[in-house]
């Protein structure tokens, strides 16, 4: 499978950017301002730093085990059954992500754009599109998502630029109106979503068409930095435009699009922006489902990973329709439980595997050939 499909470094970095930006662009700014107030941008900086550290740990393992996914080098490092246990825990969060992303999108559309339309209409259509993308494979996804990412960023930038005359920089002060506790709470939120979720992307790294891991690492770090800049700018513009009302708006980027009015020429562009935001969330949901597909394929030793596409999409569809009992319960799940869950089933397994690999590397006989030489074998 990995020998047949490879993508360039640029395409891999674009997929990574789509994965960590996707639904975060539409979901994060509003709740983050509610939790962190004017210090929301500092919360993003803190969690971004943690995300870059996790990315470096991922590439440390990738360098030691070129050509292997997280499941592959976990099995090599800590054994088969411990890997199965860790993978099962990871799958719980990954399936929750794949369904939760679409739940957020459906909530956005039905509350802001088409309130009279049932959720299941959007949910079903989005999973149908995700299944088609998965059938196409990672090469097709990389080519299509490269275009969609550009479209999303263009419309995002257009909204924020057109609103420049309406910004009020004085709303950014004071930075800590209630001390540093709100900033730390915001860091907890953004650590879980999206920066703690970067660990799952370790499953995709072997598909990069690179002779050495250093150029790929550099490209993905830049993707993270750009993602951090996009989220910080979105948050700052939300505060400068909405002021005290910013904490009351759940989908703040869409609300900003509603406020665009340049004479009688450019106005009411929120529908187009909403479609762009929907495309970002669809990209992240598809990449997450693809990673779940890879994990199950490696665990069960399947030759054709596309056999799992339809069952996975149907499972995620059913979860999306049944998970949120009430809106309050769903918000509590995302804001409170999700970061802790990510730390337990993503970050902790990565740290365990990295610690064992480091000790093995440290205690290895220096006369033996090194485990990895930085090349990307077979990928």
């Amino acid at each position: 499978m990995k020998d047949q499909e490879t993508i360039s470094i640029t395409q891999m970095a674009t997929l990574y950017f789509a994965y960590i930006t996707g639904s975060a662009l539409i979901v994060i700014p509003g709740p983050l301002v509610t939790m962190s107030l004017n210090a929301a941008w500092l919360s993003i900086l803190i969690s971004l730093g943690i995300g870059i550290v996790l990315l470096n740990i991922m590439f440390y393992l990738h360098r030691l085990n070129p050509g292997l996914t997280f499941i592959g080098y976990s099995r090599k490092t800590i054994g088969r059954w411990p890997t199965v246990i860790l993978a099962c825990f990871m799958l719980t969060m990954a399936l929750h992500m794949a369904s939760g992303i679409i739940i957020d999108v459906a909530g956005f559309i039905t509350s802001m754009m088409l309130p009279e339309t049932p959720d299941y209409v959007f949910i079903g259509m989005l999973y149908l599109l995700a299944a088609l993308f998965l059938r196409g494979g990672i090469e097709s996804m990389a080519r299509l998502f490269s275009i969609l990412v550009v479209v999303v960023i263009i419309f995002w930038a257009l909204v924020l630029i057109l609103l420049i005359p309406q910004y009020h920089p004085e709303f950014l002060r004071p930075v800590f109106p209630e001390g540093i506790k709100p900033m730390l709470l915001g860091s907890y939120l953004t650590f879980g979503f999206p920066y703690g979720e970067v660990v799952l992307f370790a499953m995709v790294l072997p598909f990069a068409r690179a002779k050495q891991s250093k150029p790929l690492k550099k490209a993905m770090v830049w993707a993270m930095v750009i993602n951090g800049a996009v989220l910080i700018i979105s948050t700052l513009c939300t505060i400068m435009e909405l002021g005290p009302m910013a904490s009351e708006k759940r989908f703040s980027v869409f609300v900003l699009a509603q406020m665009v009015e340049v004479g009688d020429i450019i106005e009411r562009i929120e529908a187009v922006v909403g479609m762009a935001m929907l495309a970002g969330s669809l990209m992240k949901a598809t990449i997450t489902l693809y990673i779940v597909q890879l994990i199950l394929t490696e665990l069960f030793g399947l030759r054709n990973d596309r056999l799992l596409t339809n069952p996975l999409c149907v499972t995620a569809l059913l979860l999306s329709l049944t998970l949120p009992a009430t809106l309050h319960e769903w918000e509590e799940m995302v804001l409170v439980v999700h970061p802790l869950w990510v730390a337990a089933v993503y970050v902790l397994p990565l740290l365990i595997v990295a610690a064992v690999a480091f000790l093995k590397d440290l205690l290895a006989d220096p006369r033996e050939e090194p485990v990895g030489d930085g090349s990307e074998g077979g990928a």
Side-chain angles (χ1 to χ4, degrees), residues 28-44 170-187 189-190 231-232 234-240 242-249 252:
I28 283 294
L32 181 59
V33 173
T34 301
M35 296 181 71
S36 300
L37 305 175
N38 289 358
W41 62 278
L42 289 173
S43 300
I44 296 174
E170 62 271 15
F171 287 153
L172 296 174
R173 300 189 301 267
V175 178
F176 301 106
E178 298 181 11
I180 66 170
K181 184 177 178 180
M183 180 190 70
L184 297 178
L185 288 174
S187 298
L189 169 64
T190 50
L231 294 182
I232 288 173
S234 300
T235 303
L236 291 175
C237 291
T238 297
I239 297 173
M240 288 192 293
L242 301 177
M245 296 288 292
S247 61
E248 300 178 12
K249 305 298 182 182
S252 58

Side-chain angles (χ1 to χ4, degrees), residues 33-76:
V33 173
T34 301
M35 296 181 71
S36 300
L37 305 175
N38 289 358
W41 62 278
L42 289 173
S43 300
I44 296 174
L45 277 179
I46 293 173
S47 52
L48 174 63
I50 297 173
I52 292 176
V53 170
L54 294 176
L55 185 64
N56 277 276
I57 295 174
M58 289 162 53
F59 271 97
Y60 168 73
L61 291 171
H62 184 61
R63 179 177 58 82
L64 291 179
N65 306 276
L68 296 180
T69 65
F70 179 81
I71 298 299
Y73 54 68
S74 176
R75 185 186 291 117
K76 178 181 176 182

Side-chain angles (χ1 to χ4, degrees), residues 34-171:
T34 301
M35 296 181 71
S36 300
L37 305 175
N38 289 358
W41 62 278
L42 289 173
S43 300
I44 296 174
L45 277 179
I46 293 173
S47 52
L48 174 63
I50 297 173
I52 292 176
V53 170
L54 294 176
L55 185 64
N56 277 276
I57 295 174
M58 289 162 53
F59 271 97
Y60 168 73
L61 291 171
H62 184 61
R63 179 177 58 82
L64 291 179
N65 306 276
L68 296 180
T69 65
F70 179 81
I71 298 299
Y73 54 68
S74 176
R75 185 186 291 117
K76 178 181 176 182
T77 304
I78 63 176
R80 178 184 177 185
W81 290 110
T83 298
V84 171
I85 294 172
L86 293 182
C88 289
F89 283 122
M90 294 178 71
L91 284 171
T92 62
M93 183 72 247
L95 286 171
H96 167 77
M97 284 173 54
S99 57
I101 294 165
I102 302 301
I103 290 172
D104 286 331
V105 171
F108 161 66
I109 295 177
T110 55
S111 63
M112 304 298 291
M113 298 180 69
L114 300 171
E116 301 298 325
T117 307
D119 288 352
Y120 61 80
V121 173
F122 302 110
I123 293 175
M125 291 176 62
L126 290 174
Y127 279 118
L128 177 61
L129 288 173
L132 293 174
F133 292 154
L134 291 174
R135 285 285 183 180
I138 192 170
E139 292 180 348
S140 298
M141 285 193 295
R143 288 192 290 266
L144 177 60
F145 290 0
S146 296
I147 299 173
L148 290 179
V149 164
V150 174
V151 172
V152 170
I153 294 301
I154 286 175
F155 282 109
W156 165 82
L158 179 65
V159 169
L160 301 187
I161 291 172
L162 291 176
L163 285 173
I164 288 177
Q166 303 180 38
Y167 291 149
H168 300 276
E170 62 271 15
F171 287 153

Side-chain angles (χ1 to χ4, degrees), residues 62-66 210-215 371-377:
H62 184 61
R63 179 177 58 82
L64 291 179
N65 306 276
K211 295 182 179 180
Q212 293 185 342
S213 61
K214 189 175 180 180
V371 177
D373 57 1
S375 61
E376 306 289 334

Side-chain angles (χ1 to χ4, degrees), residues 16-26 153 194 223 227 230-231 280 284:
Y16 184 62
F17 179 80
Y19 174 74
I20 59 178
T21 305
S23 57
L25 187 58
I26 191 172
I153 294 301
N227 163 267
V230 166
L231 294 182
K284 178 168 183 176

